[in-house]
Amino acid sequence: DGAKLRTAAHTLKGMVGTFAADDAARAAARCERVGKDGDWGEADAAGDEVEAAVGRLLPALESLANGAAVASS
């Protein structure tokens, strides 16, 4: 469903943008375009790009969360 993909990708783009994760934001924007344009031939590659970019972001987020947990103890 293009509208759902577009909405989810737009939301993700905003969330990762909060952390200045430009690669993840660009990947989410690509998914957003897939949903908007209905270019389903690009969907798998766009999804793989998001998965890889978010995967690279996760260690930094985990480190940030662990530091915040230590600081609040």
Side-chain angles (χ1 to χ4, degrees):
D1 179 323
K4 287 181 183 177
L5 174 59
R6 185 176 64 237
T7 299
H10 182 80
T11 300
L12 177 62
K13 183 176 70 175
M15 290 188 310
V16 298
T18 300
F19 297 100
D22 296 337
D23 288 346
R26 276 191 296 276
R30 182 178 177 193
C31 279
E32 190 176 9
R33 282 190 304 276
V34 167
K36 179 183 176 196
D37 299 341
D39 187 4
W40 300 112
E42 287 290 313
D44 285 339
D48 290 346
E49 185 179 345
V50 166
E51 186 174 358
V54 170
R56 290 188 299 272
L57 176 61
L58 283 177
L61 293 177
E62 290 170 349
S63 177
L64 180 63
N66 289 335
V70 170
S72 66
S73 297

